Amino acid sequence: MAISKVLIASFLLSTLLIQFVQPTPVPAPTGSVISPAPGGFIDCDAACLVRCSKSSRPNLCQRACGSCCKRCNCVPPGTYGNYDKCECYASLTTRDGKRKCP
């Protein structure tokens, strides 16, 4: 009986410890320019997650941003505007002539 109580207590303690040890993802700073590394590609998912963090429709925003990022290999910094930092991103338009990229 005593062994089972010790076993249950150690199990509960270990699960509690695991909860505190798991790493949490850290988003990129919103003020930084998210552009490709020399000769490499950027992580579009992470860049668009930052770009769309304040969007009212985050899934739609991330899908459009991801499409633009894959074409241009850059995402403007911040959550809105700054299109001058990534001209390709700013130049993509829909069939109606509206900006495609958020």
Side-chain angles (χ1 to χ4, degrees):
M1 184 77 170
I3 295 175
S4 64
K5 287 183 182 179
V6 172
L7 183 63
I8 290 171
S10 63
F11 175 74
L12 291 175
L13 187 60
S14 64
T15 56
L16 183 63
L17 184 62
I18 289 173
Q19 292 296 323
F20 290 112
V21 175
Q22 290 180 346
T24 56
V26 178
T30 56
S32 66
V33 176
I34 302 171
S35 59
F41 291 95
I42 67 168
D43 182 7
C44 290
D45 292 335
C48 290
L49 189 64
V50 172
R51 183 76 175 172
C52 298
S53 64
K54 294 185 179 178
S55 174
S56 61
R57 298 179 68 187
N59 292 338
L60 179 65
C61 179
Q62 288 177 8
R63 189 173 66 225
C65 177
S67 172
C68 296
C69 177
K70 286 176 183 150
R71 285 187 189 178
C72 299
N73 198 33
C74 66
V75 174
T79 56
Y80 185 77
N82 299 318
Y83 292 108
D84 57 325
K85 305 290 183 192
C86 184
E87 293 178 21
C88 170
Y89 191 92
S91 67
L92 297 176
T93 57
T94 63
R95 294 179 197 154
D96 299 331
K98 297 178 184 176
R99 270 200 181 125
K100 176 180 179 147
C101 307

